[in-house]
Amino acid sequence: MTAAHDFIPPTVATPPRQLPYWRAIRTFLDNPIEAWPRQIYEEKTWSPRDPVWRILYVCDPDAIRQVMLDDQPKFDKGAIFRRMLAPALGEAMLTAEGAHWKWQRQAAAPAFRHDRIAAMVPLMSRAAEAALTRWRAHDGERIDVAEDMVHTTFDVILDTMLSGGEGFDIAEASREISIYLHTIGKPNLSDLAGAPAWLRTMFQPRGVRATRYLQRIVSEVIQRRRVSGQARGDLLDMLLSAVDPETGRAMGDTDVRDNLITFIGAGHETTALALTWALYLIGRHPPTEKRIVEEVARVAGDASIDADHVNKLTFTRQVVLEAMRLYPPVALLPRVCREATTLGDRRVERGTLILIPIYALHRHRLLWDNPDAFDPDRFAPEKGLEKRRFAYMPFGAGPRICIGMQFALMEATAILATLVRGAHVTPDPDHRIRPLVRITMRPEGGMPMTVKMR
């Protein structure tokens, strides 16, 4: 039996040194992680030789803490980040800064209390059981697990955030989100050059149509809820009734719309990716699959997974955490320094682009033992690695840490346990695994796997 730490899953080819300038630019714009040289994985901080832009990669947990927490007001997300997301999200929680961000987060926070999330676990399990039903119709056949996980997590978001979906077409909505990510959500040279923001939309008409589609269907949901006057206690109700405690301002329909698009898009996409990568790793490593099957049988038997079970599915959760270490849904966090400061032993000038390369941070030679190996036991509770908040950051860190982190972890654990108990999955041996960054990090070409029901 092969030990987990002997299994080295696919990673990107790491250049031994900085790529030639224009090749580095082209590679970064196509897939940032393929432009990162070995130094980023070995040094605490690293700056490329660049005649135009001041850039600093940071993999030092103390310096990251400074950027994300201690001196957080000195660093914002920067113009490029907003140019990629603002066309769809406006000034929603993910893109807003300062007081406007703070009150939106406070408005949404009650939806993510632990007791509310725990009550949602049966809906998460139901979505996973529906996936198994779909798989049963293709027993012994190859399916795109990445696409199916999007369907599954979209079901969860619609059931938990919108009380059943309000007429969403899951396939169409997820397709439009994907189009947005591959068009407007992809950086280009005009972003680096600081060209007017309207240029990126002018040359991406398909992305603009995707944006308008998402805004239209969510606006229709909001109007139907307002007209009905029926309170359902979901996230939409909380946003509609939210009031800024300092100004008394309520959210307008545009604010509600932009935040709902944020939660629908980010909420299903990141968990779907975590599950896709986890299923791939499990499919490549039978001993891990065996341990999950045995754990689920011991904890839940044949019963539908509930919150009590999730709390006891320790190893299954470790697999989710390790999958997000090796393949973090968000591979790169940008910040811009707004006033000169010092990070570690580095003087950082105003306007410097700070890049926290999460993919490299999670595989850094100074921070992890055998960093490229798949080893869920590194997240055993007694080791405390999950709490290494500024070395392990699949959900970000600091005050802007993902508000849905606990929701996503409970969801991924419940769904993974249900799927692995019900089916065996085998990756297509001929499919090349290439992690591709388009805001989130997806497997290029999906994840074809053969499903065999147990």
Side-chain angles (χ1 to χ4, degrees):
M1 183 179 291
T2 304
H5 53 77
D6 293 332
F7 169 40
I8 308 293
T11 184
V12 298
T14 304
R17 62 190 65 84
Q18 183 180 342
L19 295 173
Y21 186 71
W22 286 110
R23 183 180 167 198
I25 293 290
R26 288 196 306 272
T27 304
F28 186 89
L29 291 175
D30 178 58
N31 194 21
I33 57 178
E34 293 180 345
W36 297 345
R38 190 169 55 213
Q39 292 95 320
I40 292 178
Y41 297 81
E42 297 176 348
E43 300 176 12
K44 290 183 176 182
T45 59
W46 181 78
S47 288
R49 297 183 302 278
D50 195 309
V52 180
W53 297 284
R54 289 192 298 270
I55 300 172
L56 179 64
Y57 285 87
V58 179
C59 283
D60 175 11
D62 291 335
I64 294 172
R65 177 189 172 94
Q66 188 179 339
V67 171
M68 304 294 288
L69 180 62
D70 298 339
D71 289 339
Q72 185 260 336
K74 295 181 181 178
F75 302 89
D76 69 24
K77 293 189 173 182
I80 294 177
F81 179 86
R82 282 191 289 272
R83 286 159 66 99
M84 292 164 62
L85 291 177
L89 307 184
E91 287 294 314
M93 190 186 309
L94 194 61
T95 50
E97 299 284 353
H100 189 51
W101 161 79
K102 183 178 179 182
W103 92 269
Q104 291 183 86
R105 185 168 179 115
Q106 289 172 339
F112 296 94
R113 291 199 318 259
H114 181 80
D115 59 325
R116 292 183 65 91
I117 298 171
M120 296 174 185
V121 173
L123 296 174
M124 301 168 182
S125 296
R126 187 173 73 186
E129 289 158 3
L132 286 176
T133 299
R134 293 192 298 272
W135 291 9
R136 198 165 288 114
H138 299 279
D139 191 9
E141 299 175 7
R142 188 173 298 161
I143 66 169
D144 184 352
V145 166
E147 181 178 306
D148 201 76
M149 289 303 94
V150 166
H151 189 147
T152 302
T153 57
F154 221 127
D155 276 342
V156 172
I157 287 294
L158 297 183
D159 276 344
T160 57
M161 302 298 175
L162 295 175
S163 298
E166 305 269 1
F168 264 79
D169 183 323
I170 290 177
E172 187 173 10
S174 60
R175 183 170 60 250
E176 297 301 316
I177 290 170
S178 181
I179 288 169
Y180 182 92
L181 292 174
H182 281 82
T183 54
I184 296 176
K186 180 184 176 183
N188 57 45
L189 275 175
S190 72
D191 296 321
L192 298 180
W198 53 263
L199 273 178
R200 74 178 357 263
T201 53
M202 183 176 74
F203 290 109
Q204 296 289 357
R206 189 64 189 89
V208 172
R209 289 196 294 272
T211 301
R212 290 174 179 164
Y213 167 83
L214 294 169
Q215 291 174 339
R216 176 177 59 79
I217 61 172
V218 173
S219 293
E220 289 170 356
V221 169
I222 294 167
Q223 288 308 310
R224 285 197 295 270
R225 183 68 63 89
R226 284 201 188 278
V227 169
S228 75
Q230 180 182 5
R232 303 186 186 181
D234 55 16
L235 176 67
L236 176 53
D237 277 347
M238 291 181 186
L239 295 177
L240 288 172
S241 61
V243 176
D244 186 338
E246 295 181 8
T247 66
R249 172 193 168 191
M251 281 194 185
D253 283 359
T254 299
D255 291 325
V256 175
R257 180 200 71 192
D258 293 345
N259 277 290
L260 273 182
I261 292 174
T262 299
F263 284 113
I264 290 169
H268 89 278
E269 169 87 2
T270 54
T271 309
L273 290 170
L275 286 164
T276 297
W277 291 115
L279 286 167
Y280 168 76
L281 293 165
I282 291 164
R284 288 285 311 277
H285 197 259
T288 293
E289 178 186 38
K290 182 173 183 291
R291 286 179 66 180
I292 292 177
V293 170
E294 291 172 349
E295 180 178 71
V296 178
R298 183 174 66 254
V299 168
D302 295 327
S304 184
I305 304 297
D306 61 23
D308 243 8
H309 298 139
V310 168
N311 291 334
K312 298 171 184 173
L313 291 170
T314 306
F315 182 71
T316 306
R317 179 187 171 96
Q318 289 171 206
V319 173
V320 172
L321 294 171
E322 177 70 343
M324 289 192 294
R325 184 188 71 83
L326 289 169
Y327 301 105
V330 177
L332 175 66
L333 287 178
R335 291 294 186 268
V336 174
C337 183
R338 291 307 179 197
E339 60 179 273
T341 188
T342 300
L343 286 178
D345 59 358
R346 289 258 191 170
R347 181 67 180 170
V348 182
E349 300 302 325
R350 183 178 183 274
T352 299
L353 176 60
I354 305 295
L355 296 177
I356 302 174
I358 305 300
Y359 181 86
L361 180 74
H362 286 184
R363 295 169 178 263
H364 203 276
R365 290 358 183 202
L366 298 179
L367 300 174
W368 302 91
D369 293 330
N370 201 6
D372 290 326
F374 172 61
D375 183 9
D377 284 320
R378 73 172 83 237
F379 285 102
E382 65 272 13
K383 295 185 179 179
L385 292 189
E386 184 183 349
K387 295 183 170 31
R388 297 175 65 190
R389 190 61 66 212
F390 299 96
Y392 180 66
M393 294 174 50
F395 298 98
R400 299 197 68 139
I401 193 169
C402 174
I403 194 172
M405 178 177 72
Q406 291 305 323
F407 180 101
L409 286 174
M410 292 189 78
E411 177 188 9
T413 303
I415 292 174
L416 189 64
T418 302
L419 295 177
V420 175
R421 177 177 61 185
H424 168 73
V425 292
T426 307
D428 178 355
D430 297 324
H431 179 69
R432 178 196 174 207
I433 299 298
R434 183 195 181 207
L436 182 66
V437 175
R438 294 290 182 267
I439 298 180
T440 54
M441 190 172 75
R442 298 173 158 202
E444 184 181 38
M447 188 63 78
M449 302 183 80
T450 300
V451 297
K452 182 68 177 174
M453 308 310 294
R454 297 191 193 279

